[in-house]
Amino acid sequence: MKMENFLKISTVPALALIVGGTLYPIYKLVELSLFEVRGLRMEYTFVGLKNFQTVFQDPLFVNSLQITAFFTITSVVIEIILGTILAVLIAELKSQILQKFFLFILSMTFIISPVAVALIWRFILYPDLGLIDFLTTNIFNIQIRWLGDPFWAKISAVIVDVWHWTSFVVLIVYAGYISLPLPIFEAAQIDGATGFQRFFRISLPLLKPTIAVALFFRTIDVLQAFPELWQLTFGGPAFATTILNILAYIATFQMMNVNYAAIVSLVLAVISLGVTAIYALYLRRRGE
């Protein structure tokens, strides 16, 4: 058998798995969104766009959409900025041992499972007994209901996500930074460029493709966040942290409304595909 034929045959199962694992779930989401499912026998009744109208007019869905946008944008922006700064600072250390030490310490955060992270932070933010609550109450004389107040619950969710995943951005940007050509920096230093000038005028423009990769992965990951946020706040209080993924879960297992859940999941899939399309267009413009 020729190698070309062998490669064609060997890729068929993989392609079938990818197509089946992607297209079939999307097909089922579309089907559930256009039909009304009733009873244990799962009787389907075609209702067209009626389900979409019901969901899009639901204040809970609108609230969830806004929370998802806030949580995603805030978390990703902070992680990208903080991760880029930390990566450059670590890469600029003269000692290789110190670089590896800090990278190792930082990598310990994102290898912890999301559920464990949520449980750790629930204890840290626990009223009266938690470390942060103890510090804010006894040192600053400010008592904050971190997980009991809708506003602070959203802030707490962002803090936990940033703590958990900033190190992921650090590792990606660090790998891109140490691969940048040294002669450019040496020439800039000889010309009298300061550290800030070298960072903003040389490092940052050259790091754009690397930062774009980190931005893409973190955006998709935050959009699909569930176990960490669910174990931290269970979507509360008063649905203050109910992102689309959590809303789909609540609609399925608590509201027992699979049509509602299908539309929420479909909206989330469309948003994710939109982010992927933007990233693909960015790569195409760069000719990569």
Side-chain angles (χ1 to χ4, degrees), residues 56-92:
F56 290 163
Q57 292 178 348
D58 185 9
L60 183 59
F61 172 78
V62 177
N63 175 71
S64 181
L65 198 61
Q66 294 172 346
I67 292 171
T68 302
F70 169 81
F71 179 63
T72 303
I73 295 173
T74 307
S75 299
V76 172
V77 168
I78 294 175
E79 288 166 14
I80 293 296
I81 295 175
L82 186 59
T84 301
I85 294 173
L86 289 174
V88 173
L89 290 176
I90 293 174
E92 287 293 329

Side-chain angles (χ1 to χ4, degrees), residues 26-40:
I26 294 177
Y27 161 75
K28 291 301 294 183
L29 287 179
V30 174
E31 182 185 38
L32 287 172
S33 64
L34 296 176
F35 288 79
E36 184 177 354
V37 182
R38 293 180 178 179
L40 297 177

